[in-house]
Amino acid sequence: MKQLIPAFQKDQALLADIEAARLQPGHLHVWWLGQSGFLLQWEGRHLLFDPYLSDSLTRKYAGTDKPHVRMSERVVAPERLTMIDLVTSSHNHTDHLDAETLQPLFAAGPTAQFIIPEANRAFVTERLRCDPAFPLGLNDGQTVSVAGFTVHGVPAAHNALERDEQGRCRFMGFVVQAGPWSVYHSGDTLWYDGMEDVLKPFAVDIAFLPINGNKPERRVAGNLNPEEAARLGRVIGAGLVIPHHYHLFEFNTEDPEHFVREAGRQGTPYRVLRPGERWSGRKDSGRTLENGPPIAEY
Ligand SMILES: [Zn+2]
């Protein structure tokens, strides 16, 4: 068995870092939890985007022609994240809507709220076996404020801008405003026509963009590739792009160095995080970003 890519920090060390970050008020704190999972901490409140913190897909596809071989260490068990105020799921694929992550997470933190695309309500409540009234459903163009976070729904194309019979998006991204910060979590998406015009008005400070690309021969829905992620970040004027959706499964990954090269070539500000690693920033005036400690270079 191949060695797993080690987490930057995990388990108790990660939880201690999340706790310690509270002592830096005025900073936005971001942790990458692997795949599309990110934790935001703002003024002591916690928002979790698209967590996948189990091995459900590896077990499900073991022995099939599409094995989901894990590449990197899991950073924390979901039931240990008891501080979460708000969770999002961008779409119904298991790496973004995992019952083995979300059920223990909501059991351990029963006050956490849950934002999903409204189009997915029946599917989500069936998969999680939760009260159909529990999730907060959003469509594109809609906004909800929860626990100090204001969340705007934007479309995602995975691979198409798919809508249900009532015209509601099945794949979404979310732009979250936390104090002065504007943070874009793309979900899984290609670059659709007009995407940059949807995003520019939000003056995105931090964009979490997938980089694993579109590989139809692998029979998986596609994402931005490294060049597109770097270019989209530049075109929307993002203050920082943090890449995601790689180093989880061997069959569907990308070398983050390809993104680093493209971002450098295009002049896109970026930061590559390792699983469990924190980025902290402070916004003093306008869109100035000032990195706070402790950050290791990748
Ligand atoms: Zn995905």
Side-chain angles (χ1 to χ4, degrees):
M1 197 177 141
K2 261 188 266 175
Q3 199 74 21
L4 289 173
I5 296 168
F8 177 82
Q9 57 189 354
K10 62 177 183 172
D11 301 329
Q12 194 51 44
L14 172 62
L15 294 167
D17 190 45
I18 295 168
E19 198 52 41
R22 292 176 184 265
L23 302 175
Q24 279 181 281
H27 286 73
L28 179 74
H29 304 288
V30 172
W31 291 262
W32 185 41
L33 303 189
Q35 194 72 338
S36 299
F38 286 91
L39 174 65
L40 288 193
Q41 184 192 85
W42 170 252
E43 310 234 307
R45 305 290 191 102
H46 296 88
L47 185 158
L48 185 55
F49 290 108
D50 280 14
Y52 176 81
L53 297 167
S54 82
D55 277 317
S56 63
L57 284 167
T58 299
R59 277 203 315 281
K60 179 178 175 186
Y61 288 100
T64 71
D65 65 349
K66 205 159 87 176
H68 284 48
V69 178
R70 181 180 265 276
M71 295 178 68
S72 53
E73 289 185 313
R74 181 178 77 161
V75 297
V76 71
E79 62 271 20
R80 299 190 74 182
L81 296 175
T82 55
M83 75 299 280
I84 305 299
D85 297 289
L86 181 60
V87 184
T88 67
S89 165
S90 62
H91 63 286
N92 290 342
H93 296 161
T94 303
D95 51 334
H96 307 262
L97 177 73
D98 178 34
E100 290 190 27
T101 297
L102 294 168
Q103 286 171 332
L105 185 82
F106 289 129
T111 59
Q113 299 195 63
F114 187 35
I115 290 183
I116 62 167
E118 177 58 36
N120 298 349
R121 181 176 297 276
F123 185 97
V124 167
T125 56
E126 162 76 20
R127 176 172 287 178
L128 301 188
R129 305 195 184 287
C130 66
D131 181 347
F134 168 55
L136 294 164
L138 271 191
N139 197 9
D140 63 318
Q142 293 182 332
T143 297
V144 66
S145 289
V146 180
F149 299 102
T150 299
V151 183
H152 306 273
V154 296
H158 192 46
N159 283 346
L161 289 174
E162 212 178 297
R163 292 179 184 270
D164 68 2
E165 49 294 331
Q166 296 177 57
R168 303 173 302 196
C169 289
R170 294 187 191 279
F171 300 95
M172 288 180 71
F174 299 110
V175 179
V176 173
Q177 285 169 311
W181 296 91
S182 181
V183 179
Y184 171 49
H185 187 278
S186 61
D188 279 0
T189 192
L190 300 177
W191 192 333
Y192 53 86
D193 277 351
M195 187 179 191
E196 62 274 30
D197 299 321
V198 170
L199 295 170
K200 278 179 189 167
F202 291 106
V204 169
D205 297 299
I206 302 177
F208 303 129
L209 300 178
I211 61 164
N212 60 310
N214 194 18
K215 298 153 184 148
E217 72 282 2
R218 297 190 190 170
R219 296 177 291 139
V220 290
N223 273 324
L224 302 171
N225 63 33
E227 188 277 328
E228 292 164 331
R231 184 155 44 95
L232 180 64
R234 174 173 57 76
V235 167
I236 66 171
L240 189 73
V241 175
I242 299 179
H244 67 89
H245 218 292
Y246 62 93
H247 283 180
L248 180 62
F249 298 125
E250 285 183 355
F251 80 102
N252 189 12
T253 188
E254 178 56 76
D255 183 347
E257 285 303 318
H258 295 159
F259 169 76
V260 168
R261 193 180 60 212
E262 286 297 334
R265 200 172 61 80
Q266 301 200 37
T268 307
Y270 69 92
R271 174 61 62 96
V272 174
L273 297 179
R274 284 191 288 166
E277 188 174 1
R278 162 155 58 121
W279 176 91
S280 297
R282 198 187 157 85
K283 220 171 168 180
D284 290 329
S285 62
R287 307 197 57 218
T288 309
L289 295 168
E290 174 201 312
N291 292 337
I295 304 295
E297 286 300 329
Y298 185 72

